[in-house]
Amino acid sequence: MMKNIIEQTESFIRKYGMIEKDDVVIAGVSGGADSVCLLFILCALRNKIGFQVMACHVNHGIRGAEADADEAFVKELCRQLDVPSRFFHKNVELIARKRKQSSEEAGRAVRREAFETMCREDGGTKIATAHHRDDNAETVLLNIARGTGLKGLCGIRPVRGKWIRPLLALGREQIEDWLREQKITWCTDATNAEDIYTRNRIRHNILPALREQVNEGTVRHLEELSVQAQEVWEYLEQGTKQAWERCVSLPRTGEHKNEGQGSSTPVYGEAYGGLLIGREAFRHEMPAVQKQLLKVCLASVRGGEKDIGTVHLNALAELFDRQCGKVLDLPGGVTAGRIYEGILLGKQDGDEKGNSGKTNGAAEVKPEEVRLNIPGVTFLPDGIHKVICRFVDAADADKAKEIPQKSYTKWFDYDIIKCSLSARTRQSGDYLVVDEKGSRQKLKSWFINEKIPRENRDKMLLIADGQHIVWIPGHRMSRACQISNRTEKILEIKITEDKKNVREDQSAGSGREG
């Protein structure tokens, strides 16, 4: 058994090119079964492959005497195996409070920092952790449950830069059986038996139920899924890099930067203050590549993938089909502007939310715009307003006069709508249609004539059809969209809002031509 498990791990190491001659491998050794197995196998292979092994142990300062006993165990083990070692002491609970993280997150972070420190100070070239097949299955299930894309299905990768996982081909039971056969002892962390951590609940409840009640090969099948996902992900990444070359450029800086003419191709995945994504080139890419390219571009401007979700990528993709001048606010103070050539991404100067109102290499910052679900319900970002849209039978057009004269319900001639309706605050170029002849009035002029306080103008909710403001809830609607005897499709829009801010008198009436 010992020979087989070592040979199996060696084959896995060579398959992925994890360790080469003259490498210095920093092994994370907690004292648990997995890390003890890792250390023994690395020591068995170090002379054969020609690398050095060093051990790194982190005492989290959580379990008191038990943690100290684990540290003493690892020290003695390293002495017996003639493995140089370093021991780090961290107050993980204090660090978690300071960083506003859970103890799990803080623990992972301090271990990672300790490994990196050893690499930097002790000449390490690789960092080996003791993740195995069951850990990978737990990770895939956790990612699925929390919501994930293809990347999350990849689970734990065998190699990621200098980080390697030599035991991924082994299962937890296989590891522990081998240690018992070799009469090798290990430490048991009592917290691993508790179900207070999400991963432990998957380990103790979900995976056993899947094995016993669905398929005993669940872990192996999840591993196979993970490997397939990794292969597809690598292919997708390669395609995304090629698409970056075709679609992405740096915006031209200077007086006419809003024209967005690109100059040179930026380096894939590097940080930039602004990027231009060309519309024509982008639309020829495959959908999977399009979405991943948008994520890479957004992360490059934002400075990381944190808080970037599917909803943001979908909104960004939809922006390509919107009118020039449309602008979308995205996480991390990033603004996406629709221009003639495509989409211009820029990072707002100032704080995380971009309160300065200025961007670096992108279009001017404009208010967030939310496309309405027609028919359907749209929740607005302020958490207060909800917009409900439904179609009304044209035969009921005469009932328009019966609609209560309140600010939150209106009927519109949907046949007149040219673009997708959106809820937003004002933008440059907005206008109203003020009479039956189609005469236009700038929204700014309307604000002045109606004596709307300047400090309120940027906050007022508008329902817009492109630059055409079809409704100012609480005030008036555009004459162009009022229903008539010629109307074939009627759209009802109802807005729930804080009624203390609602003005009951409306100059445009019920929404029907008189």
Side-chain angles (χ1 to χ4, degrees):
M1 175 71 81
M2 179 174 180
K3 182 178 180 181
N4 290 338
I5 199 172
I6 292 176
E7 286 182 350
Q8 186 178 351
T9 305
E10 180 186 358
S11 177
F12 190 72
I13 288 172
R14 293 187 185 279
K15 176 182 178 180
Y16 288 96
M18 293 185 183
I19 303 174
E20 298 175 347
K21 190 175 183 296
D22 297 327
D23 267 335
V24 177
V25 180
I26 308 297
V29 184
S30 65
D34 309 333
S35 65
V36 169
C37 178
L38 173 66
L39 187 61
F40 269 91
I41 290 178
L42 289 177
C43 288
L45 295 174
R46 58 183 166 182
N47 291 331
K48 184 175 182 179
I49 298 177
F51 63 91
Q52 298 179 52
V53 182
M54 299 183 72
C56 178
H57 178 88
V58 181
N59 187 327
H60 292 176
I62 294 178
R63 296 182 296 120
E66 287 186 21
D68 294 338
D70 290 351
E71 180 178 335
F73 172 84
V74 174
K75 282 182 180 179
E76 177 59 23
L77 183 62
C78 290
R79 186 191 66 77
Q80 293 175 8
L81 295 174
D82 193 24
V83 174
S85 56
R86 285 184 63 176
F87 297 82
F88 295 80
H89 294 82
K90 302 289 182 179
N91 188 333
V92 169
E93 290 186 336
L94 178 61
I95 291 171
R97 288 196 296 271
K98 287 183 176 180
R99 298 181 182 179
K100 297 182 179 179
Q101 297 175 319
S102 68
S103 295
E104 280 185 290
E105 291 174 313
R108 285 194 297 270
V110 298
R111 288 194 297 273
R112 193 176 185 89
E113 290 161 8
F115 298 153
E116 293 284 3
T117 298
M118 277 196 70
C119 263
R120 186 173 58 253
E121 298 178 358
D122 296 287
T125 57
K126 299 290 174 61
I127 298 172
T129 62
H131 293 95
H132 49 69
R133 181 185 292 163
D134 292 72
D135 290 324
N136 190 37
E138 293 163 10
T139 298
V140 172
L141 284 177
L142 186 59
N143 290 344
I144 291 172
R146 288 177 170 172
T148 186
L150 179 62
K151 188 176 182 181
L153 294 181
C154 294
I156 303 171
R157 299 192 191 185
V159 178
R160 195 178 185 94
K162 62 175 173 283
W163 293 76
I164 61 175
R165 282 87 181 199
L167 302 188
L168 270 186
L170 306 178
R172 177 180 288 112
E173 186 176 346
Q174 187 179 7
I175 288 170
E176 293 184 1
D177 285 347
W178 177 75
L179 290 175
R180 292 189 190 98
E181 182 179 310
Q182 302 305 312
K183 295 181 172 50
I184 298 172
T185 58
W186 67 87
C187 301
T188 300
D189 185 342
T191 61
N192 288 335
E194 299 173 353
D195 280 351
I196 59 173
Y197 300 118
T198 305
R199 184 175 288 274
N200 283 1
R201 291 196 291 273
I202 292 176
R203 180 178 303 162
H204 300 149
N205 304 304
I206 308 301
L207 267 180
L210 287 172
R211 286 196 194 99
E212 296 165 10
Q213 301 177 35
V214 181
N215 191 312
E216 63 180 11
T218 293
V219 171
R220 177 169 52 84
H221 293 156
L222 286 171
E223 177 194 23
E224 292 169 354
L225 171 64
S226 173
V227 171
Q228 290 178 29
Q230 289 168 21
E231 293 171 350
V232 174
W233 180 256
E234 289 172 4
Y235 183 79
L236 177 59
E237 278 197 318
Q238 195 62 35
T240 305
K241 289 180 181 178
Q242 294 170 358
W244 175 284
E245 297 287 329
R246 293 187 289 265
C247 303
V248 183
S249 60
L250 293 172
R252 189 178 71 180
T253 57
E255 183 179 345
H256 303 291
K257 67 181 180 181
N258 285 350
E259 294 176 5
Q261 296 177 4
S263 54
S264 60
T265 302
V267 178
Y268 178 81
E270 292 291 323
Y272 292 94
L275 292 174
L276 170 63
I277 309 171
R279 182 174 182 268
E280 287 305 310
F282 180 82
R283 63 196 293 265
H284 287 96
E285 301 295 338
M286 295 293 289
V289 172
Q290 288 180 339
K291 189 161 290 187
Q292 183 59 21
L293 179 62
L294 292 179
K295 188 171 186 178
V296 172
C297 290
L298 187 50
S300 293
V301 175
R302 191 207 187 288
E305 295 185 2
K306 183 181 178 183
D307 298 329
I308 299 175
T310 301
V311 63
H312 306 116
L313 300 181
N314 289 341
L316 195 53
E318 290 175 359
L319 195 57
F320 280 100
D321 296 323
R322 307 298 295 279
Q323 292 178 325
C324 291
K326 298 295 183 184
V327 176
L328 181 69
D329 287 338
L330 295 162
V334 176
T335 296
R338 174 72 170 91
I339 61 173
Y340 178 75
E341 293 86 348
I343 289 180
L344 199 56
L345 290 174
K347 185 71 179 290
Q348 300 175 19
D349 296 330
D351 62 16
E352 178 78 359
K353 295 183 179 180
N355 290 333
S356 68
K358 297 180 180 179
T359 62
N360 182 6
E364 286 184 19
V365 176
K366 296 180 182 179
E368 185 171 10
E369 188 169 1
V370 179
R371 180 179 291 189
L372 299 185
N373 295 316
I374 302 175
V377 179
T378 305
F379 293 90
L380 302 189
D382 62 6
I384 299 174
H385 297 88
K386 179 172 68 174
V387 184
I388 305 170
C389 298
R390 71 181 184 98
F391 289 114
V392 178
D393 194 322
D396 294 329
D398 290 337
K399 297 180 181 179
K401 292 180 180 179
E402 300 174 12
I403 298 176
Q405 299 299 298
K406 293 186 177 181
S407 64
Y408 51 84
T409 302
K410 285 291 179 185
W411 283 12
F412 298 84
D413 187 335
Y414 192 66
D415 300 320
I416 302 297
I417 307 299
K418 296 180 179 179
C419 303
S420 297
L421 291 179
S422 61
R424 60 173 174 82
T425 47
R426 67 169 175 167
Q427 297 179 0
S428 176
D430 285 346
Y431 66 90
L432 291 159
V433 175
V434 295
D435 58 34
E436 296 178 9
K437 298 178 181 179
S439 302
R440 296 184 177 186
Q441 182 181 35
K442 291 182 178 179
L443 181 63
K444 180 179 179 181
S445 299
W446 184 86
F447 279 147
I448 294 172
N449 294 342
E450 291 293 311
K451 296 181 173 56
I452 303 297
R454 186 182 300 273
E455 62 272 16
N456 293 343
R457 297 173 189 175
D458 287 334
K459 304 175 184 177
M460 291 181 65
L461 179 66
L462 309 171
I463 302 300
D465 175 20
Q467 299 303 123
H468 177 198
I469 303 303
V470 301
W471 185 21
I472 307 174
H475 295 274
R476 67 164 298 159
M477 65 178 286
S478 172
R479 294 288 291 182
C481 296
Q482 291 181 329
I483 63 175
S484 69
N485 294 329
R486 299 182 299 275
T487 300
E488 295 182 1
K489 200 168 189 179
I490 299 174
L491 174 68
E492 180 186 271
I493 303 179
K494 181 177 181 179
I495 300 177
T496 61
E497 59 183 350
D498 185 353
K499 295 183 180 180
K500 68 183 180 182
N501 294 323
V502 171
R503 173 182 152 183
E504 296 296 333
D505 61 309
Q506 298 182 70
S507 58
S510 66
R512 178 178 174 88
E513 271 188 16

